[in-house]
Amino acid sequence: MAAEKLYDLWAKRNPQWEKRYEDNIIKMFTDYGKGSTSMREDRGKLLGPGYEIFIIAFFIGLYYDQRRPLVEDAAMLKSFGHPIQFWGNIDPVKGRKQYPKLREYIFTALVAKTDMDFISLDKGEITARKAVDMLIQTMEEYANFGFNFMADKMVDNPNYFFSETAFLEVFLAFDASIPKEEDEPESLD
Amino acid sequence: MIIRKIRIKNFRSYYDENEFELSEGLTLIIGGNGDGKTTFFEALEWLFDTTTENKKEAHVSEKRKSELEIGETDEVAVSMVFEHNGEKELVKRFDFQRVNESSVVTRNYQFIGYGNRGAERYSFDGKKMLEECFETLIRKYCLFKGESELNVFDNPEALKTLVDTFSGIKQFDRFVSLTTDFEQKSLKAATQELKNDKKVSDRAKELESQLVSVNREIQDYRTDLKNQEKAVSDYSEKLKILEENQEISERYQDIKDRLKSLYDKRARLTAQSGCDYNTSLLDEYWILRSFPKVLDEFQAKVSKLSKQKRKLDKEETERRAMEKGKKEAVKNLMNGAAPLPWYVPNKETMQEMIDEEVCKVCGRPAPKDSDAYHFMVDKLNEYLRHLEKENQADEEKPFFPNSYVDELHTRQIKMSGEIESEISNIHNEISDRIDFINARKSDLEKVKKEIQDVEDERTRILVNTNLTEDLIEKDFNDFKGYFAAKGRAETRIVELNQKLAAAESRKSDIQTEMSKLQPASSMTQAYQNVHIALERIMKAFERAKNENVNSFIGLLEKEANNYLEMLNENDFYGIIRIIKTVNDSARICLFSENGTEITNPGGAMRTTMYMSVLFAISKITTLKREQDYPLIFDAPTSSFEDYKEDVFYNVIDKIDKQCIIVTKDLLKTDELTGEKVLNDEKINQLTCSVYRICKAPNYNDKDLSTIQTMITHIK
């Protein structure tokens, strides 16, 4: 039987986050912990499932390229209990669309940003489990930075993110330039 | 009846005792908004109310109430001293007492009249005295609250009541009914006699039966005619409103169409300008706006890894191949002669030769422990080692047991090209979208403003006409229907009138024939003659009754036009006509001298028209009853302009009639204080009595118990 792909192994995971962001960020902006019986609009939240704010936090960390290690005490950590492989498969409620491809982009970013010897992985010197651990760690640390960023903003102004364009503004501030083609085409030998 | 004094005590804003002395002509009670004008009027309404024993706590002065200690009592009272066959007084009052911090009870309602008999003063039942001196029917034409109540003929019974009360027509009614009864009875008796008369019995019976039938026919035609006339009148009324408002209707329809298109536009723009920017980060992948750099990093990394892996793989393959080649080469160099391959002879042959101690290759014996024997044993061992080595070589681990880099490489290829360019374009997509939405939002604001303007225009139209939105719409839609229905009813009336005339003529023929029957008995003939005489008398009374109504209306019109002329000095005023409608009610209309009806007179013109009719009614009442009655108005001139106002008061001032007008006219704004003060210049031109009412200063505008109406007798 062919070995399971790295992507699939990663997608089965549940990244963790620090519990201290649960009430003032995750529950504030998403339906996390509210069950799935009523619609997002009914509860007036900016976002739907809990992982959505995690994704936003992750991308903030990614674009700042700033990581923030999680606390070591496992009792202070939590996960959504909703593996990555299902992220983005949201119910098409009023105006919302599914965004399954975003998972792949996150994975791509993790591969790009995780300092890991993939040659050793292919040689079998590093286990796939260890490799996925490292990818998840990158993911968690970027997101942790993002959560911390949001928390800081909200200390200054508790309503900072409660505007129509607040999160978009954060992302519009990042550089969106397109890198120039510098590499020569790969030789085929 | 002339009212001399009005006293108001603790009634709402009238704290403690307040007295107004009224002149025999005009008395003006002038006050601004909230100064107690309407309260004055309502105090009189309460005094004149004979339907209930109203002692509502709401009538009690809040100020007085707030001062009361627990257990303390005071009274609310409104009284009127008046002249009506001698001086009389009417007092309506009740007590109020504070029972605890939060409540007051009212009790001891009394309505008493006082009169003098010689030098003595007697008390009477107030209700009775009021009805005797100022009966309900007359009061109805004396007290008017606001401009809208001035059209007394709004009530369909009004004309009949008025005519019945003041024209003496009631007496005619009695005669008409009496003579009709006589006529019926004499007809019955005469017919009976004729039927019994031997000579004419058969013909009389036949004629009577024809008469019954024709009478029924006439009755049916009349009923139908009345219905059709009513229908024509109703449709005409509606069409008239519609014609008056045709232009308005058209404008209204235009506005409605414009609004509909604007509402559609607003809905479309609202949908287009709605965007959830937060969820679009995910749903629309906007979060990947800055992703191209990351993707580039990924591609570079994976490309490098893939290259590195392939390079390593190649190197390792070469290394292994080289190692294998080396070994083969070493073997080739032994003794210069090529040895037998390791697998010749094979394992089984070798074992057989050892067991039999014979070398079957060279055909010589090889006894145990001989060199040849040892050679064969070594050869077998070498064979076995080869086999083992061969097996080991087959199981050798690949250099790269995993293919994760290949997986990444596949992903890298997948993410280049179209996907890469899609991501690169997100940046533009977001800014395009934001620009689009902002443009739509700006359009939306413009449309909203436009909607507001058009809605305001619609409101102005509705305010400027007395029509409701429903009515305009309904009438507009029903216009054709009304027109057709009116036409049908008119045609029907013509037909019915013809049929009625024919039936009346047949009836007359039958009656003539009946009267010409020559009965055998002279007694029967006498019956016939009596009937003819009574019938003529009945007709005379009927005509007289109609004449009387017409002459009453004529008188009313004449008097009303006199007043109208006075009230509209130096202004266009037209001619008032009081038109009897089908259902015996009346309509007050204004005509131009050339016969054109002025269908929609302006506010001031309408008010003076109605007031002229009121003055006329009052004058006729005075003539008929030999008693004058006061007219009391609350703010009748709110639609008047300043000039009209001046003329109006100057005219009323000179009319020989007791009039009490409560108004906010004749005030002006003091330039220094900004407060409303009396316009002395205008007031000095009037000869009438004037009272100024106003709120006592230093009141708290949120506390009712600080409000008190102060009255000042100006002149």
Side-chain angles (χ1 to χ4, degrees):
Chain A
M1 196 180 75
E4 219 172 337
K5 287 185 173 173
L6 197 61
Y7 174 83
D8 295 326
L9 292 169
W10 167 77
K12 281 180 186 164
R13 293 291 190 89
N14 263 304
Q16 291 187 302
W17 35 268
E18 293 184 4
K19 270 187 188 172
R20 64 193 170 115
Y21 299 124
E22 180 169 351
D23 288 334
N24 65 346
I25 294 181
I26 297 173
K27 285 185 174 171
M28 187 81 84
F29 297 121
T30 71
D31 298 337
Y32 178 65
K34 300 277 172 59
S36 57
T37 47
S38 50
M39 299 296 171
R40 177 178 67 97
E41 279 77 2
D42 296 343
R43 297 194 290 257
K45 300 287 181 171
L46 293 181
L47 300 164
Y51 61 76
E52 295 199 320
I53 193 69
F54 185 95
I55 294 176
I56 287 174
F58 165 76
F59 276 96
I60 291 174
L62 174 70
Y63 294 145
Y64 273 112
D65 202 9
Q66 296 276 333
R67 300 173 187 221
R68 188 181 167 89
L70 274 67
V71 288
E72 283 180 7
D73 183 359
M76 292 167 76
L77 300 174
K78 209 170 169 183
S79 77
F80 295 111
H82 196 82
I84 300 164
Q85 59 185 327
F86 304 118
W87 289 13
N89 298 353
I90 58 167
D91 290 334
V93 288
K94 291 176 207 165
R96 292 299 308 265
K97 282 198 255 178
Q98 299 207 343
Y99 51 93
K101 278 195 287 179
L102 200 60
R103 301 193 289 261
E104 300 194 32
Y105 292 107
I106 296 173
F107 178 75
T108 308
L110 295 178
V111 170
K113 297 291 185 182
T114 304
D115 187 12
M116 184 190 347
D117 185 352
F118 283 93
I119 297 294
S120 300
L121 174 66
D122 267 11
K123 277 182 181 167
E125 292 162 8
I126 300 173
T127 62
R129 184 193 162 86
K130 171 70 186 161
V132 172
D133 282 348
M134 288 171 81
L135 294 177
I136 288 288
Q137 189 187 350
T138 306
M139 189 177 183
E140 289 171 344
E141 288 182 0
Y142 273 139
N144 200 36
F145 173 84
F147 281 131
N148 189 58
F149 170 88
M150 292 180 203
D152 274 356
K153 292 278 180 200
M154 287 161 73
V155 166
D156 296 339
N157 173 8
N159 293 323
Y160 185 86
F161 289 104
F162 285 98
S163 92
E164 198 188 20
T165 55
F167 284 111
L168 179 67
E169 298 287 346
V170 172
F171 287 97
L172 289 181
F174 293 119
D175 173 28
S177 61
I178 297 157
K180 285 178 190 156
E181 296 275 343
E182 282 172 359
D183 294 347
E184 286 173 21
E186 189 192 343
S187 68
L188 294 170
D189 51 44
Chain B
M1 181 175 110
I2 296 287
I3 303 175
R4 298 284 180 212
K5 285 176 189 165
I6 289 169
R7 294 193 192 101
I8 305 176
K9 184 180 178 188
N10 293 329
F11 186 87
R12 311 237 291 263
S13 63
Y14 286 81
Y15 170 80
D16 207 11
E17 304 248 15
N18 300 274
E19 186 175 281
F20 294 87
E21 274 192 44
L22 308 177
S23 77
E24 288 193 11
L26 174 65
T27 302
L28 286 176
I29 297 170
I30 303 171
N33 289 335
D35 281 342
K37 298 192 302 296
T38 299
T39 306
F40 171 85
F41 191 84
E42 285 171 356
L44 288 182
E45 278 188 324
W46 180 63
L47 176 66
F48 296 146
D49 177 15
T50 53
T51 55
T52 56
E53 295 194 354
N54 181 341
K55 52 177 185 345
K56 276 190 216 162
E57 195 195 325
H59 288 335
V60 182
S61 157
E62 284 293 326
K63 182 174 165 128
R64 184 67 193 113
K65 210 157 78 176
S66 70
E67 291 171 350
L68 283 189
E69 298 291 334
I70 294 175
E72 203 181 341
T73 303
D74 203 340
E75 67 166 356
V76 168
V78 177
S79 65
M80 169 175 93
V81 177
F82 62 101
E83 201 74 47
H84 186 93
N85 302 327
E87 191 176 278
K88 295 186 170 59
E89 186 176 6
L90 263 176
V91 182
K92 187 178 269 192
R93 62 171 300 284
F94 64 83
D95 292 328
F96 57 94
Q97 182 182 37
R98 176 161 294 286
V99 284
N100 56 42
E101 284 298 327
S102 59
S103 55
V104 161
V105 292
T106 61
R107 57 167 80 97
N108 290 341
Y109 169 91
Q110 288 175 316
F111 191 20
I112 309 166
Y114 297 98
N116 299 318
R117 237 180 250 153
E120 279 186 73
R121 185 169 158 92
Y122 286 91
S123 64
F124 301 89
D125 176 55
K127 192 170 161 181
K128 223 169 171 180
M129 182 188 264
L130 181 65
E131 281 306 322
E132 276 169 19
C133 304
F134 196 26
E135 61 185 279
T136 311
L137 227 155
I138 292 174
R139 286 204 308 273
K140 207 159 118 185
Y141 297 100
C142 290
L143 272 88
F144 299 95
K145 194 177 191 175
E147 252 179 332
S148 60
E149 281 189 6
L150 296 174
N151 183 5
V152 285
F153 290 143
D154 247 359
N155 172 4
E157 291 297 307
L159 179 72
K160 194 175 179 307
T161 323
L162 203 60
V163 171
D164 284 354
T165 318
F166 302 115
S167 73
I169 207 168
K170 268 230 156 103
Q171 286 147 357
F172 276 96
D173 271 355
R174 247 185 24 243
F175 290 125
V176 168
S177 122
L178 198 65
T179 51
T180 308
D181 191 37
F182 286 162
E183 189 270 340
Q184 294 292 322
K185 280 181 178 157
S186 65
L187 175 66
K188 206 174 161 190
T191 311
Q192 195 57 44
E193 285 299 315
L194 283 171
K195 281 196 294 188
N196 290 335
D197 191 278
K198 279 177 193 166
K199 191 177 159 198
V200 294
S201 169
D202 290 348
R203 186 60 188 153
K205 279 177 190 164
E206 206 178 307
L207 288 174
E208 192 206 11
S209 144
Q210 283 177 13
L211 200 59
V212 168
S213 153
V214 83
N215 271 335
R216 199 179 298 131
E217 217 176 303
I218 288 170
Q219 193 53 47
D220 288 349
Y221 290 147
R222 282 195 175 142
T223 310
D224 203 359
L225 206 54
K226 200 167 180 180
N227 289 339
Q228 297 301 331
E229 278 172 353
K230 177 148 182 6
V232 169
S233 155
D234 288 352
Y235 289 127
S236 303
E237 197 60 31
K238 282 175 181 165
L239 284 167
K240 200 184 94 193
I241 293 173
L242 199 64
E243 275 162 20
E244 282 165 13
N245 297 292
Q246 193 177 359
E247 194 192 335
I248 288 163
S249 278
E250 281 165 11
R251 265 173 62 208
Y252 175 80
Q253 282 305 315
D254 173 50
I255 283 174
K256 226 181 99 186
D257 294 345
R258 268 159 62 205
L259 272 180
K260 188 181 175 300
S261 120
L262 284 169
Y263 289 150
D264 288 349
K265 203 168 170 187
R266 181 177 62 185
R268 203 168 55 244
L269 287 171
T270 307
Q272 285 173 347
S273 59
C275 177
D276 189 334
Y277 291 112
N278 295 317
T279 56
S280 291
L281 281 172
L282 303 168
D283 299 1
E284 307 290 344
Y285 295 95
W286 286 4
I287 207 164
L288 298 176
R289 178 181 170 274
S290 305
F291 205 71
K293 271 190 174 170
V294 179
L295 186 61
D296 193 55
E297 202 177 326
F298 167 81
Q299 282 169 330
K301 185 173 184 176
V302 172
S303 179
K304 198 172 154 194
L305 275 174
S306 178
K307 261 193 226 171
Q308 191 185 354
K309 183 177 171 183
R310 275 176 286 155
K311 191 176 164 215
L312 288 173
D313 200 26
K314 191 180 163 205
E315 282 171 5
E316 178 66 11
T317 309
E318 282 170 1
R319 190 188 60 78
R320 286 185 185 187
M322 206 180 285
E323 203 168 275
K324 195 173 174 184
K326 264 185 200 166
K327 282 176 189 169
E328 294 294 325
V330 168
K331 283 175 193 168
N332 286 343
L333 289 171
M334 273 174 54
N335 298 327
L340 281 172
W342 60 270
Y343 46 82
V344 176
N346 65 14
K347 185 185 162 191
E348 287 74 23
T349 314
M350 204 74 79
Q351 193 62 52
E352 194 183 294
M353 289 196 297
I354 290 167
D355 290 347
E356 292 176 9
E357 298 180 10
V358 172
C359 173
K360 293 181 180 179
V361 175
C362 58
R364 281 181 292 201
K368 210 172 185 178
D369 294 331
S370 68
D371 286 344
Y373 183 85
H374 284 297
F375 180 81
M376 288 194 298
V377 170
D378 286 346
K379 185 84 178 163
L380 178 62
N381 287 337
E382 191 192 355
Y383 185 95
L384 292 173
R385 270 199 309 278
H386 257 286
L387 270 184
E388 199 181 342
K389 212 173 177 182
E390 231 19 21
N391 287 341
Q392 269 180 359
D394 283 349
E395 287 171 3
E396 190 178 36
K397 205 178 151 196
F399 189 56
F400 285 113
N402 296 326
S403 53
Y404 295 121
V405 171
D406 305 329
E407 177 197 332
L408 297 177
H409 188 54
T410 310
R411 187 169 290 280
Q412 183 215 349
I413 294 165
K414 192 174 130 193
M415 290 209 153
S416 57
E418 209 171 304
I419 290 186
E420 198 176 358
S421 85
E422 269 176 27
I423 291 178
S424 305
N425 202 36
I426 287 176
H427 167 63
N428 294 331
E429 191 189 315
I430 297 176
S431 58
D432 287 353
R433 187 72 186 278
I434 291 175
D435 289 349
F436 176 81
I437 288 169
N438 287 341
R440 293 297 83 72
K441 277 186 175 165
S442 147
D443 290 348
L444 185 62
E445 283 313 306
K446 283 182 202 151
V447 169
K448 280 181 178 170
K449 167 98 185 37
E450 215 176 320
I451 287 178
Q452 188 57 52
D453 290 348
V454 179
E455 280 178 343
D456 286 352
E457 201 181 330
R458 181 180 61 181
T459 310
R460 275 196 299 276
I461 284 187
L462 292 172
V463 167
N464 289 336
T465 64
N466 292 322
L467 305 177
T468 62
E469 204 165 345
D470 280 353
L471 194 68
I472 290 189
E473 198 146 334
K474 191 170 175 296
D475 280 352
F476 191 85
N477 294 333
D478 292 354
F479 184 81
K480 281 185 180 166
Y482 287 156
F483 208 79
K486 190 187 163 205
R488 280 197 300 276
E490 280 169 343
T491 315
R492 182 81 184 127
I493 287 172
V494 174
E495 281 171 19
L496 283 170
N497 275 325
Q498 286 167 352
K499 285 181 178 170
L500 183 64
E504 297 270 19
S505 147
R506 255 186 295 138
K507 184 184 172 184
S508 163
D509 292 347
I510 296 166
Q511 282 174 331
T512 312
E513 196 186 336
M514 221 163 185
S515 65
K516 284 181 179 167
L517 287 176
Q518 297 287 328
S521 150
S522 62
M523 193 60 196
T524 308
Q525 200 145 19
Y527 269 107
Q528 266 182 308
N529 291 336
V530 168
H531 170 246
I532 291 166
L534 286 174
E535 192 185 12
R536 284 180 186 161
I537 294 170
M538 176 200 80
K539 282 185 176 161
F541 272 105
E542 256 184 6
R543 266 198 302 278
K545 182 187 168 185
N546 285 333
E547 284 289 309
N548 206 321
V549 174
N550 291 337
S551 77
F552 180 83
I553 290 178
L555 182 63
L556 200 57
E557 260 182 19
K558 185 171 157 263
E559 291 297 340
N561 280 312
N562 286 340
Y563 284 107
L564 187 69
E565 192 179 341
M566 277 193 269
L567 288 173
N568 287 289
E569 204 174 46
N570 303 327
D571 201 354
F572 172 81
Y573 54 87
I575 298 163
I576 291 175
R577 281 201 197 144
I578 296 165
I579 296 174
K580 241 172 88 180
T581 54
V582 190
N583 49 3
D584 285 334
S585 61
R587 194 157 63 86
I588 304 172
C589 302
L590 199 62
F591 278 81
S592 149
E593 210 166 22
N594 63 6
T596 311
E597 185 177 353
I598 301 159
T599 49
N600 203 4
M605 202 189 266
R606 193 165 42 226
T607 299
T608 50
M609 170 173 94
Y610 291 143
M611 283 188 103
S612 303
V613 175
L614 292 176
F615 282 120
I617 292 173
S618 180
K619 185 163 182 186
I620 294 171
T621 329
T622 309
L623 289 174
K624 300 284 174 186
R625 289 290 160 94
E626 294 173 354
Q627 266 297 346
D628 200 0
Y629 295 97
L631 286 173
I632 306 166
F633 299 100
D634 177 21
T637 58
S638 35
S639 67
F640 284 24
E641 293 155 11
D642 281 357
Y643 166 73
K644 191 88 189 169
E645 225 174 78
D646 298 349
V647 174
F648 176 80
Y649 288 113
N650 277 314
V651 173
I652 304 260
D653 192 22
K654 293 182 187 78
I655 292 177
D656 181 21
K657 171 105 203 141
Q658 186 176 36
C659 238
I660 302 159
I661 298 184
V662 190
T663 180
K664 61 177 174 185
D665 297 337
L666 306 170
L667 287 174
K668 65 174 184 184
T669 307
D670 187 293
E671 283 176 11
L672 290 175
T673 61
E675 285 174 3
K676 292 274 184 189
V677 292
L678 285 177
N679 188 331
D680 293 330
E681 194 189 333
K682 287 183 179 177
I683 286 169
N684 287 336
Q685 290 171 9
L686 302 171
T687 59
C688 65
S689 167
V690 177
Y691 277 87
R692 165 76 165 125
I693 57 174
C694 59
K695 286 187 281 292
N698 304 325
Y699 62 89
N700 174 349
D701 56 11
K702 291 183 185 64
D703 183 1
L704 208 55
S705 70
T706 63
I707 308 283
Q708 178 186 354
T709 297
M710 306 289 288
I711 65 170
T712 317
H713 192 181
I714 305 295
K715 61 179 199 171

